[in-house]
Amino acid sequence: QEPPPPVLSSAVYSSDGSVMTLTFDSLTNKGRTSSSLGCSELFNFTCANISRCQWTNSKTVQAYVRGGQYCALPGDGVLLSSAASIKALCQAADGECGSHAWKNASTAVSVQISPPSDPVLPSVLISSPSSIGACDNLTIDISSSSGSGGRPWKSISILVEGSDSRSVSNIQTFLDAMYILSPLSI
């Protein structure tokens, strides 16, 4: 007897936001794909065409989302790709189920991407010289910071403090108008 086709049931980011785990409600045939593949072979989400996926077992895929700040955000939807051929896993001892004729999982079922249940807090590390010469460039390096989920920081602000209020004001005005992000360099 043909089992019901698997249903894509969840998509949730890891605590550090670097991996999205996609889960089916039952064991699958993995779409008869290799363990590691382009995500667009299985799924339809923003930037799936440049992201990599890996089966961890017959129910679970890990997506390493690439692309940037607008790719596969929490709240976005994920669908199975129309090219995917996900079916129930044949569990007969002899491997003969006639599963090639079984129904594919629906490509119309959309799941909403969930944020991490226990997100890692960002850790900001700033490296800069304690003093510079009048003709030297100021470099403020935040590249050792972590917790952005492998994406560009959504916002960055710098607050200048010091005892010379005029200098502080001039530096703050300059930084507010002139700094460059990713990596921050002045």
Side-chain angles (χ1 to χ4, degrees), residues 126-147:
I126 300 172
S127 174
S128 66
S130 58
S131 64
I132 59 172
C135 295
D136 293 336
N137 289 329
L138 170 62
T139 299
I140 300 173
D141 182 6
I142 62 167
S143 63
S144 294
S145 298
S146 63

Side-chain angles (χ1 to χ4, degrees), residues 87-99:
K87 299 176 188 274
L89 179 66
C90 174
Q91 297 188 54
D94 64 3
E96 295 297 322
C97 296
S99 59

Side-chain angles (χ1 to χ4, degrees), residues 55-137:
W55 286 97
T56 58
N57 59 46
S58 293
K59 286 178 67 171
T60 310
V61 177
Q62 289 189 326
Y64 299 88
V65 179
R66 295 182 182 151
Q69 63 186 1
Y70 301 109
C71 294
L73 299 173
D76 289 353
V78 176
L79 296 161
L80 277 179
S81 165
S82 59
S85 183
I86 304 288
K87 299 176 188 274
L89 179 66
C90 174
Q91 297 188 54
D94 64 3
E96 295 297 322
C97 296
S99 59
H100 62 279
W102 290 353
K103 292 179 184 168
N104 285 340
S106 173
T107 58
V109 174
S110 178
V111 297
Q112 188 176 39
I113 301 171
S114 297
S117 57
D118 188 22
V120 171
L121 292 176
S123 173
V124 179
L125 298 174
I126 300 172
S127 174
S128 66
S130 58
S131 64
I132 59 172
C135 295
D136 293 336
N137 289 329

Side-chain angles (χ1 to χ4, degrees), residues 7 10 13 39-40 48 71 82 89 97 114 129 136 138 147 161 178 185:
V7 175
S10 69
Y13 271 104
C39 288
S40 60
C71 294
S82 59
L89 179 66
C97 296
S114 297
D136 293 336
L138 170 62
E161 294 181 351
M178 300 300 291
S185 179

